[in-house]
Amino acid sequence: MTSVSPAVKAWARRQYWPAYLYLLPGAAFYILFVLRPLFTTAWISLFDWDGLTLGSWAGLDNYTALLSDPVLRSSLLHSLVFIVFYALVPVAVGLILTGLMVRIRIRGLAVFRSLLFIPQVLSTVVIAVSWRWIYDTDGPVNGLLRAVGLDGLARSWLGDYGTALPSVGLIGSWIMYGLCMVLFLTGAMRIPRELFEAARLDGAGPVREFFTVILPALRGEISIALVLTVTQALRNFDIVWNTTTGGPGNSTTVPSVFIYQGAFVTRQVGSAAAVGIALTVLTLVVCAVIMRVLRERKG
């Protein structure tokens, strides 16, 4: 019988094993409500099943069908477009607002910040219905265009093939910029005032101060904001469904719409599960790339 080395014994004495007991409730919740449904969905995706009758084994056929479906490929492109509106635009706007609020002393900053954060706490159904009215043929957008003599630009923004996708994307920008702003402001408050004073003594203007002091200090917050907003862009469903239902035609269709239609409308549950798994993998890969790139830049 081999004896345990002194190094292993010393390591075992340093471990506080009862601390792991505090992790068990969270781990059990995660396994039960996250991992178990995920693996169940992956298993269902291997069957041709309508959700009611006995399914038949399909193997990877549901996944190969995804690659050959031009409509689904276009929906993935729509999701990439939504990344611009849901992630890049809100992050840029949040950084600009943070730079202004750090540089300029604003009275009632807490109230102003709360007003900008309101889109994050509103129900997405309420937001979708409100913006559907804003974009309506007789809504405020077209009313404003007619008031300034730009009648030729007035249109049904959500019913036009060329404007439906960016119109829905702008709703996402309006929703997400408040989250980014609050994250960046929280990070900016931790920046030592000495750095700002040193930059200003060195003759730095607002733009140089932003790029040399504020932006480098917010890389951690930027990575978190990008992960949250990109995830929201890729899994976007409620805003699309309650504004355009994926139309006109398939101009605003996203993978989550296919999941809903396959699971509850056409009863192609196996195919819908395959789309769900593919979307999950895509989201994890994109978020991993974001974290890796920003971590390398930070290092």
Side-chain angles (χ1 to χ4, degrees), residues 216 219-220 223 290-299:
R219 279 181 179 160
S223 64
I290 292 172
M291 298 296 291
R292 178 68 178 270
V293 169
L294 290 178
R295 185 171 66 244
E296 289 180 351
R297 289 178 63 87
K298 187 175 182 179

Side-chain angles (χ1 to χ4, degrees), residues 136-137 141-143 145-146 150-157 160:
D136 190 74
T137 306
V141 173
N142 287 331
L145 291 174
R146 295 187 183 101
L150 298 176
D151 304 59
L153 296 179
R155 66 192 67 205
S156 176
W157 297 93
D160 188 290

